Amino acid sequence: MALVLSGGGARGFAHIGVLRALQRLRVPVDVVVGASMGAVVGGAFAAGRSAEELAEFALRTDWDTVIGDRAQRDDLGLRRKADDLDVPSRLEFGVGRDGLRLPPSAVGNAALESALARLLPPDAMARPASAQALPFRAVATDLLTGELVELSDTPMFHSLRASMAVPGVFSPVRLGTRLVVDGGLVRNLPVDLAQALGATALIAVNVGTPLAGEEALGSALGVAGQMLNILTEQNVQRSLALLGPRDVLVVPGLDGIGFLDFRSAAAAIEAGDLATMAQADRLQPLVVDAATYAAHESARLAPRPDLDRPQPLARLEVKDAGAADGRTLAAETGLQIGQGITLAQVQRSVSRLFGRGDFERVVAEMRDGPGGRELLLTPTAAEGARSRVRLGLELSSDFSDDHRVSVSALHLLSWLNPWGGELRTLARAGSTRALGTQWWQPLGPGSPWFAEASIDYVTDPVDFFVDGRRQARASVTSTSATLALGRQFGNRADLRIGITRAVGRGRILIPQPSDDGAVPFSETWRFALLRYDTLNALAFPTEGALLQLEWAQTARPAPGEPSLAQTQVRALQAFRLDDWGGHLYLEWAKSRSGFAPLSLGGFLRLTGAPRDSISGATVLLGRAVLARRIGQMPAGLGGAVRSGLSLELGEGFAADQSVTLGRLRPAASAFLSVDTRVGPAYLAVGATPGSGATLYLFLGPYW
């Protein structure tokens, strides 16, 4: 008996319910054929996964990340996390001699491929689709010719990835000389393929998305989706006409579950189960006795190599990928010859290479031989990843007299040498004008030690307040050079020590002085900076933590005079409870003389008070933020939509004031946040006693 599973995006989780019901009825499956999500579910089943394992995968996977436009942030390298802090946008393009190169898909590939790697049994990933525990076929579409591509001799991982390459959502996959995409375009229910394999009885499961009504066609996305649905529905009707009298058609009731409605996995699984049980009478001729079914399942679920049991690593090879050096990548995995390794360690190593941001995919092949475990990692360089630019827009307004707009561009040129050196250039134009470039260089292949040198030019407006009232505005221009030595601790933390030399001038703008009013300055700082970052998102973190400790000290301005020393601490702990999430935040800054390096005022920094209007020799801030998820942006346009509130306490203390909790000012806000591709957006209202209430609009800046 052949099982034919159609594509349908998130609706395809109903296939898991079908498998669960067939197991309960004792209907053995001999051959599996699938398209798109049907290929993913059916391929994993053919490779030896149980219906229970498939259900757990569907329910436990973070699908918001998988259909998002980047890898999970906790898997990113620390430098890529720092890119987020500088430009919290996801508008990235490759840069080459032919200009900007648009991304090949609306969303990313890394998270999808990581999910597929977890779904498949480890020993099945590199095995051809035709050599699995059950004979299996997936279908894809040749993007250049429009022809059906039958994936039989293709490694299982690539078969599933290719069949899942929904045009405009996930990027195409190159298989030899072919560039292929989702097989549902030409055969969303490949009945003819199952019949060609010799199947005399079929169970066909159709979960395709029905055509939408006119009310859903008011946008370009709606029209594009309807076009895909028309293509698939036409070929599905042709496939249904091929079904014979012995064949069984299962059509789960999936009303209300859309193509990208991955949060409804449980409902889809249940719908598949119910629809299959409703066909129990027609399936009765295919039922076998308990002993026969048990033997069939035992063969399908035959014990696989115990890859979770540590075995000494006898051989490690990482292939070169574009400009990336394989020997350096091998060192970056953290795996050592002779070390006992497990599948979990290999997956962490793959995630570590993914986190560089240079690769479209990393395929791991692991075999146990007489001399120990052999591991081959094959990364595929992402197009345009070596030279790429991220564009950002930052907009903030309190709808009164504080309005700022800046356009940012971050360019990264990676793999300047075999050790993985990078050149990183950041430019801003608008309210803040800046241009800076940094050379970052590991001190050996895969070394955690690094050196960096940077040059920065910044012009920034600065407001001066007395008792919360703006008294003057100045422009501060500086040019600085920095040298630092540091060490990375995995992809979560780094420590650097260094020296910065800055020269510049400050000039009063308002009230306008009678002369130029420029005051030159020059200073040299010694500094130490520790960063720890495991946040899952920047728009609205719900998991992980952020910690930044910084100390800086100037040289003595004159003999007998004290040097200027500053210390600042920022700590954030995020949390999530079902659809609720938020964070707890603490900030402390102190200066030996003059003002602390941080000031308060503005959204989430004593909301309602003017931006940077509260300062002192010591600054203290604490807040709690809680929000509920109320919606989701379309795939490729952004992430979650949330509504929430904040409670804040903070104050700036003069050098002669004691820092006590009783002096802290309270503040509160209510907000609506949207995670967009150009960065987090907030619409908020808040108040601080004594400062009044303020309405805020933010795009780009984050908490």
Side-chain angles (χ1 to χ4, degrees):
M1 188 277 294
L3 183 63
V4 183
L5 305 178
S6 80
R11 296 163 63 90
F13 287 136
H15 296 317
I16 301 173
V18 172
L19 293 170
R20 190 170 67 187
L22 293 178
Q23 176 180 297
R24 190 181 313 122
L25 293 170
R26 299 199 308 274
V27 175
V29 177
D30 301 309
V31 177
V32 183
V33 179
S36 196
M37 182 60 85
V40 171
V41 174
F45 181 79
R49 290 298 189 196
S50 67
E52 292 75 17
E53 288 176 316
L54 293 173
E56 182 179 10
F57 170 80
L59 297 174
R60 291 184 177 272
T61 298
D62 183 357
W63 293 104
D64 289 342
T65 297
V66 173
I67 64 172
D69 50 11
R70 66 180 308 171
Q72 188 169 341
R73 190 172 185 273
D74 192 40
D75 288 337
L76 295 178
L78 200 63
R79 290 184 58 73
R80 303 293 75 84
K81 294 177 182 179
D83 294 345
D84 287 347
L85 298 176
D86 285 331
V87 182
S89 165
R90 297 190 292 280
L91 293 178
E92 288 194 346
F93 307 89
V95 180
R97 294 179 179 178
D98 54 350
L100 293 180
R101 179 176 298 167
L102 295 174
S105 60
V107 301
N109 304 307
L112 169 65
E113 295 179 357
S114 178
L116 293 179
R118 295 194 308 273
L119 173 64
L120 285 172
D123 61 313
M125 292 181 61
R127 189 189 306 151
S130 58
Q132 300 299 324
L134 292 180
F136 171 72
R137 295 291 189 276
V139 294
T141 303
D142 190 312
L143 190 58
L144 302 180
T145 66
E147 296 175 344
L148 170 71
V149 180
E150 179 182 341
L151 304 174
S152 57
D153 298 327
T154 307
M156 192 65 161
F157 176 85
H158 292 138
S159 294
L160 302 195
R161 174 62 182 85
S163 193
M164 189 69 178
V166 181
V169 179
F170 297 112
S171 66
V173 176
R174 184 167 295 283
L175 299 178
T177 60
R178 291 181 180 268
L179 191 65
V180 301
V181 293
D182 192 324
L185 294 179
V186 291
R187 202 78 87 250
N188 201 45
L189 188 66
V191 169
D192 58 338
L193 190 56
Q195 293 172 335
L197 293 173
T200 57
L202 277 68
I203 299 175
V205 186
N206 183 22
V207 298
T209 307
L211 298 182
E214 185 176 351
E215 68 280 357
L217 304 180
S219 67
L221 285 175
V223 173
Q226 185 82 330
M227 291 171 62
L228 288 176
N229 291 341
I230 290 173
L231 288 173
T232 57
E233 183 61 22
Q234 287 177 343
N235 71 64
V236 164
Q237 292 303 317
R238 291 192 295 269
S239 294
L240 291 176
L242 299 175
L243 293 177
R246 297 186 57 195
D247 301 329
V248 178
L249 175 64
V250 178
V251 183
L254 298 169
D255 292 345
I257 300 179
F259 184 85
L260 294 174
D261 192 6
F262 287 89
R263 297 172 68 85
S264 297
I269 293 172
E270 184 63 22
D273 192 316
L274 291 174
T276 306
M277 295 305 296
Q279 299 280 359
D281 290 342
R282 295 209 60 207
L283 292 169
Q284 189 59 38
L286 302 175
V287 173
V288 298
D289 61 79
T292 302
Y293 185 80
H296 184 278
E297 281 293 274
S298 178
R300 187 180 67 84
L301 301 171
R304 298 183 290 267
D306 187 2
L307 300 179
D308 285 329
R309 181 167 52 89
Q311 290 286 344
L313 181 61
R315 177 173 172 265
L316 171 62
E317 180 184 353
V318 183
K319 292 187 176 181
D320 293 345
D325 183 79
R327 289 170 298 178
T328 296
L329 295 176
E332 289 186 5
T333 65
L335 302 176
Q336 302 290 332
I337 300 297
Q339 168 192 0
I341 65 167
T342 64
L343 175 62
Q345 288 174 296
V346 171
Q347 290 176 334
R348 285 196 294 270
S349 298
V350 169
S351 296
R352 192 173 295 132
L353 297 186
F354 260 137
R356 293 188 56 92
D358 298 326
F359 306 119
E360 180 178 324
R361 67 177 61 90
V362 180
V363 177
E365 298 178 49
M366 187 161 60
R367 302 183 182 90
D368 285 348
R373 189 155 282 174
E374 298 181 355
L375 176 62
L376 171 64
L377 299 178
T378 306
T380 301
E383 291 191 29
R386 182 170 183 257
S387 175
R388 58 187 185 269
V389 63
R390 178 185 296 188
L391 303 179
L393 173 65
E394 299 182 7
L395 164 69
S396 66
S397 174
D398 64 358
F399 298 95
S400 179
D401 57 357
D402 184 18
H403 313 283
R404 301 192 182 194
V405 179
S406 295
V407 178
S408 305
L410 174 64
H411 179 257
L412 177 67
L413 186 62
S414 62
W415 291 102
L416 297 175
N417 51 56
W419 290 0
E422 293 182 355
L423 187 66
R424 186 173 177 272
T425 303
L426 176 63
R428 299 187 193 276
S431 301
T432 296
R433 299 179 296 281
L435 178 64
T437 188
Q438 179 194 77
W439 178 289
W440 181 85
Q441 179 62 55
L443 300 182
S447 173
W449 293 94
F450 63 88
E452 60 185 22
S454 60
I455 299 176
D456 296 278
Y457 169 85
V458 180
T459 296
D460 207 12
V462 178
D463 290 342
F464 296 94
F465 293 83
V466 176
D467 296 329
R469 296 180 179 276
R470 186 179 288 104
Q471 302 296 313
R473 172 166 292 176
S475 173
V476 178
T477 300
S478 67
T479 302
S480 62
T482 300
L483 293 174
L485 177 68
R487 190 186 193 282
Q488 291 184 317
F489 301 91
N491 72 330
R492 299 191 166 197
D494 66 4
L495 173 67
R496 50 173 48 79
I497 58 174
I499 186 169
T500 296
R501 173 67 177 174
V503 297
R505 65 174 189 169
R507 184 165 60 90
I508 298 295
L509 301 177
I510 302 174
Q512 186 173 356
S514 57
D515 55 12
D516 179 70
V519 179
F521 66 86
S522 63
E523 53 193 18
T524 302
W525 292 85
R526 300 184 296 270
F527 70 88
L529 173 63
L530 173 66
R531 299 182 303 171
Y532 176 85
D533 185 350
T534 61
L535 295 180
N536 67 328
L538 285 181
F540 195 90
T542 56
E543 293 179 4
L546 178 72
L547 176 65
Q548 183 169 308
L549 308 176
E550 185 171 5
W551 168 87
Q553 185 178 43
T554 65
R556 293 180 182 272
E561 295 186 16
S563 59
L564 176 62
Q566 297 179 339
T567 305
Q568 55 179 295
V569 178
R570 301 181 183 185
L572 183 150
Q573 177 63 57
F575 60 86
R576 177 168 59 185
L577 299 169
D578 295 325
D579 284 341
W580 292 86
H583 67 257
L584 301 175
Y585 181 81
L586 179 65
E587 179 180 291
W588 174 82
K590 184 176 179 60
S591 179
R592 180 184 297 176
S593 60
F595 292 106
L598 300 175
S599 55
L600 303 180
F603 179 50
L604 296 184
R605 302 185 58 77
L606 293 186
T607 308
R611 180 206 300 257
D612 297 332
S613 62
I614 301 170
S615 57
T618 301
V619 170
L620 182 63
L621 172 68
R623 71 166 174 259
V625 173
L626 182 66
R628 186 178 188 276
R629 183 192 189 107
I630 60 173
Q632 176 75 24
M633 294 284 286
L637 296 183
V641 180
R642 291 183 170 88
S643 62
L645 55 86
S646 73
L647 299 176
E648 308 152 38
L649 285 172
E651 183 59 287
F653 300 89
D656 58 353
Q657 287 182 310
S658 59
V659 179
T660 61
L661 295 180
R663 293 176 179 266
L664 298 179
R665 307 186 199 187
S669 74
F671 61 81
L672 178 71
S673 76
V674 182
D675 181 10
T676 75
R677 282 186 66 86
V678 293
Y682 282 86
L683 180 63
V685 62
T688 297
S691 298
T694 305
L695 184 65
Y696 295 95
L697 174 66
F698 283 88
L699 176 63
Y702 65 100
W703 32 262

